[in-house]
Amino acid sequence: MGISDRLGQLLTGARQADEEERLLRLYWNRAELKKELSRLQEERHELIEELKRQEAELVRAGERLAELELHLGDPDVAAHALVYFQLRALWSSCAARLARFSLQLQSQQQDRERRRQLIEFDQTRRRQVADLDRRISEARTRAEQLEAQLKQFEAQLVSRRGFWNYSRRRKLAEQIEDTRSQWDESVTRVTDLSDDRADAEEQQPPAFAGISIDGRRVVNTAVIAYAQQLVGLLSSGGLAMLAKEATSKTVFDLRYGSPEDCVKLMGLLREAKQLANRDSEDLGGLKEYTDALRARATYRSDADTTPLTDSIGTLSLPAFPVSGLESINRTGINVLVDDYWDVYAALLK
């Protein structure tokens, strides 16, 4: 076979290899395109489903709005609707106030525990540095004593000449060697202790791990006590219980007596709104609420931060200005059981 034939075979083989590689790249590109197409089709399907859900929600919202317009247009029930929405607004104001109070307590407790941690860290570091200073001083004194003893032995070695002092010189040489070894160890110890002292001084406080279990319990009992106090502040006319009921039922399901009764309730709600929305927090008596709650609160385990519901007690039922409304609750108020003012959302877990 000639050189030209061999060269032709090589060129043919190279072209076949290039063709195979090109086909392989096309195959992989096709596979990637199919995968991307499948992903886009799935995403399109999800978007279509979401659009359908949104359209259905808009239809339902339109139906509810039309139903509400008809409801508000009825003179016999419009006053009840006004009371209903004012009760829900009162609930939202109190829930926001409780959440704000909780955040303030969390910030204060975190700052308090962080300061305590820094103080304890600083005290521990000071004790470590003081202990290292004492050990450095002892090691340095020991090194100085050995150095003085070493110089004394070396001076004695120089003064003892002559063959008759051979045994003494040998003994002194051994003592010098032993003393120098001890001196080297003492100097090394001084250096190591000095390094440890420098490390102790440069040590940074540990990161704050978060509010402790006890700290969270302190915050939570105060928040629960505040929720109880808000119920007490809004006991006039049973507004707290009526507001709770308005969060679980629709405007179409509730009635509040006669039109005169509705007017009376709206007057109470106006006063309650001023109480709930004023800028300054009315914390009078809260310490007594909190201390009493903390004294009787029990927990399921050492790791729990929310008291057992039956340990926080119940609040007595208020007097209702409208006959028949008192039927919504006859057992008393437990702010955890009924989640008053969304108290669980304000608690530290």
Side-chain angles (χ1 to χ4, degrees), residues 244-260:
K244 171 62 181 175
E245 186 187 36
T247 64
S248 59
K249 296 183 179 180
T250 69
V251 65
F252 312 108
D253 300 328
L254 295 174
R255 297 293 183 272
Y256 299 99
S258 65
E260 291 75 15

Side-chain angles (χ1 to χ4, degrees), residues 61-72:
E63 293 173 351
R64 289 195 298 268
L65 180 59
E67 187 179 5
L68 181 59
E69 288 177 351
L70 292 174
H71 188 76
L72 293 175

